[in-house]
Amino acid sequence: MTITSALNSAMSGLRAASRASELVSSNIANVSTPGYARRTLSVSSSEIGAAGGVRIDGIQRHVDAQVIADRRLAGSEFGYRSATTNYLSRIEDLIGTPDQSGSLSARLADFENSLITAASRPDAAERLDAAAHSARDLAVAVNSVADGIQTARTAADREIGAQVTRLNDALQAVQLLNSQISGADARNADTFALQDQRQVLIDEISEMVPVRMIERDHGAVALYSTGGAILIDGRAAEIGFETSNVVTPYMSIDDGSLSGLTINGFAVNTTSTGGRLQGGTLGAQFEIRDELAPEAQSKIDALARNLVERFEDAAVDPTLSPGDPGLFTDDGAPLDPAAETGLANRLSINALVDPTQSGETRLMRDGLGSVAPGPVGDSTLLNALTTALSDPRVATSGSFGASALSAGDMIASVASQLGSDRLREDQKLSFASTQFYELTQRELAGGVDTDVELQNLMIIEQAYAANARVIETVDQMFDSLLRI
């Protein structure tokens, strides 16, 4: 080996060691940066004529595409299950349990107890007042559950609007990065920082909509939802949605009163089965707004209807004429079977006995249709009202089957169904959480390891020192030659 070739080898080695140390420093500095992928220097031996050395072939960005793809899908499922589980937990809390003072079961028990207490002393005005107040509290409790369901629907609708905005922004950003990466690739420029940014954006998109990424020419990528929608392939798709100010029980996507999704102006299916953008947090909000919440609303409406029917019966209160509202009403009107939707929101007690509306509570003893006070010691009607609550009746609507149930049994059935749904979602959430965590850990295991990077830095320093020693030796040899 000549002195010149030794010097060339040492100089190229110094350049490679310097570049490698820069990469190690960058890896360590960005160990917690989202989307950052570990970089390493790719080198090989170089021989140009009689001179040798180290040739820098390029920089490698280390990612496991399959692990990232699986982690994204697991993250979509985790976000989806988290949203639906949180919704079911909120509705379950609204209904409450029998041991909670404000629950539906507790309000019904209070009303029943107040009727029994009033029947024991029908002449006591304060006991009649207490019974009327308990009836009103029960109606208000049903209203609160129904209003909470619609509040959840409204919140879901607004969240859909916010997510659609973020989704469109992220897709536009990915389109721009695709263009920048392709341009840089054509110039043989470094595109790794741009790829890191794009990975973060695709992670954000996949949380809302589960996607599959497909590599295109010159470093660009295409994104397809697992439901088959093209989100970006060259140009980014435009997702359309119109937010509603308030969602009511009478609004649905089927009648056009609630907005669905469009992709580039074309309407797409948003159901939990067969939806083009199903899964992820966006799909979860559509399922809450259009499926889960309306199903819960129908259960509460059926419960409210059953409550109205029990006390609208002339066999319970003989003073009622056909078409007269009973103790519980549809906002003051008798039950209209064709207008059951939203009944739970409108449920109220008859103004004739409502103390807050200057009603006469003695009508609970004498009958809503009575025009004059009856015998103050007559508890017949109060006993009949108590019996009406506990008598088994087959529900005329809702998913209660053909079994005859008391009012308390119907509330327990609603609570049980929602509790079962929440427990089932909890189990699915637990599995999704475990899967997402394990895949995230696997992805991190292939990322930057500071211990390994520090070891690499020590090796680089040794290589740098060795090459520097060669240059120093060459310098000494030249000095010796010059002194001859």
Side-chain angles (χ1 to χ4, degrees):
M1 175 183 290
T2 65
I3 293 177
T4 301
S5 63
L7 185 61
N8 286 336
S9 296
M11 291 297 294
S12 63
L14 283 177
R15 285 193 296 270
S18 176
R19 190 71 183 96
S21 65
E22 289 178 9
L23 293 179
V24 170
S25 299
S26 177
N27 288 340
I28 295 174
N30 290 280
V31 65
S32 300
T33 301
Y36 183 84
R38 180 171 58 91
R39 274 82 147 151
T40 59
L41 193 68
S42 177
V43 297
S44 62
S45 60
S46 173
E47 291 187 8
I48 302 175
V54 179
R55 180 176 61 198
I56 298 176
D57 296 324
I59 302 172
Q60 291 182 314
R61 180 176 182 267
H62 296 274
V63 294
D64 191 326
Q66 187 58 54
V67 171
I68 291 176
D70 291 343
R71 188 262 300 159
R72 284 173 177 160
L73 293 178
S76 297
E77 179 70 8
F78 175 67
Y80 172 81
R81 296 299 174 189
S82 295
T84 53
T85 300
N86 288 337
Y87 159 77
L88 290 171
S89 296
R90 291 198 303 272
I91 302 305
E92 191 176 26
D93 289 341
L94 285 173
I95 294 175
T97 57
D99 60 322
Q100 295 175 326
S101 60
S103 67
L104 281 183
S105 297
R107 292 299 186 190
L108 181 66
D110 289 344
F111 176 47
E112 186 173 11
N113 291 334
S114 69
L115 288 175
I116 294 172
T117 302
S120 67
R121 281 287 307 279
D123 60 317
E126 67 278 6
R127 298 193 180 191
L128 295 175
D129 290 345
H133 280 294
S134 293
R136 186 176 182 279
D137 290 343
L138 175 58
V140 169
V142 174
N143 298 156
S144 297
V145 174
D147 291 343
I149 292 171
Q150 297 312 311
T151 298
R153 293 187 75 197
T154 301
D157 188 83
R158 291 175 181 171
E159 180 62 21
I160 291 169
Q163 290 197 32
V164 167
T165 299
R166 294 202 305 271
L167 180 58
N168 281 322
D169 291 344
L171 289 173
Q172 289 294 328
V174 170
Q175 177 182 320
L176 177 60
L177 286 171
N178 271 345
S179 176
Q180 293 174 341
I181 290 171
S182 296
D185 183 73
R187 301 189 304 270
N188 292 322
D190 184 356
T191 64
F192 295 147
L194 297 174
Q195 291 183 51
D196 290 343
Q197 294 178 39
R198 187 175 64 187
Q199 180 170 317
V200 172
L201 288 168
I202 296 175
D203 287 347
E204 181 183 357
I205 292 169
S206 69
E207 183 180 350
M208 294 181 281
V209 179
V211 295
R212 290 288 188 186
M213 187 182 78
I214 300 175
E215 300 283 348
R216 296 301 189 207
D217 294 337
H218 304 296
V221 297
L223 296 178
Y224 289 77
S225 74
T226 54
I230 303 174
L231 297 180
I232 181 169
D233 196 351
R235 293 188 61 84
E238 179 68 27
I239 314 300
F241 178 80
E242 294 183 7
T243 305
S244 301
N245 291 327
V246 177
V247 179
T248 67
Y250 323 105
M251 300 171 67
S252 71
I253 194 171
D254 295 329
D255 63 13
S257 55
L258 288 178
S259 173
L261 280 182
T262 61
I263 299 180
N264 294 328
F266 294 95
V268 296
N269 184 359
T270 57
T271 62
S272 59
T273 55
R276 300 294 296 278
L277 302 182
Q278 65 180 0
T281 55
L282 183 60
Q285 297 304 324
F286 270 105
E287 184 174 357
I288 290 169
R289 191 196 70 172
D290 299 330
E291 297 176 41
L292 296 178
E295 182 182 355
Q297 179 74 41
S298 69
K299 289 182 172 67
I300 300 301
D301 285 340
L303 176 64
R305 175 175 177 172
N306 184 268
L307 203 57
V308 172
E309 289 174 335
R310 287 176 183 273
F311 297 97
E312 212 172 66
D313 191 346
V316 176
D317 185 352
T319 65
L320 291 176
S321 300
D324 286 345
L327 179 61
F328 291 97
T329 71
D330 183 352
D331 198 18
L335 176 67
D336 180 0
E340 182 177 330
T341 300
L343 177 59
N345 304 77
R346 306 187 302 268
L347 184 68
S348 63
I349 66 168
N350 199 310
L352 294 174
V353 299
D354 188 356
T356 64
Q357 301 183 60
S358 302
E360 297 182 77
T361 56
R362 60 107 186 156
L363 295 178
M364 295 192 68
R365 178 194 64 208
D366 300 332
L368 294 174
S370 65
V371 295
V376 295
D378 187 0
S379 62
T380 303
L381 181 56
L382 291 169
N383 289 327
L385 294 176
T386 305
T387 302
L389 275 180
S390 58
D391 270 354
R393 295 171 63 103
V394 177
T396 53
S397 62
S399 55
F400 296 97
S403 301
L405 302 172
S406 67
D409 290 338
M410 289 193 68
I411 293 176
S413 177
V414 172
S416 176
Q417 290 177 34
L418 288 172
S420 296
D421 292 342
R422 195 266 307 157
L423 179 60
R424 188 163 52 250
E425 284 300 306
D426 264 343
Q427 293 171 342
K428 293 178 180 178
L429 174 61
S430 178
F431 176 78
S433 175
T434 301
Q435 185 181 42
F436 179 56
Y437 174 79
E438 291 299 328
L439 287 168
T440 300
Q441 293 302 113
R442 188 180 302 177
E443 181 184 5
L444 292 174
V448 178
D449 186 328
T450 53
D451 291 339
V452 173
E453 296 299 327
L454 290 173
Q455 292 173 14
N456 291 337
L457 187 59
M458 294 175 63
I459 295 173
I460 293 169
E461 288 175 349
Q462 292 172 2
Y464 191 94
N467 285 291
R469 180 59 179 162
V470 170
I471 294 175
E472 182 182 359
T473 301
V474 170
D475 182 60
Q476 292 173 354
M477 292 174 65
F478 274 117
D479 286 342
S480 298
L481 290 172
L482 291 173
R483 285 195 298 269
I484 296 176

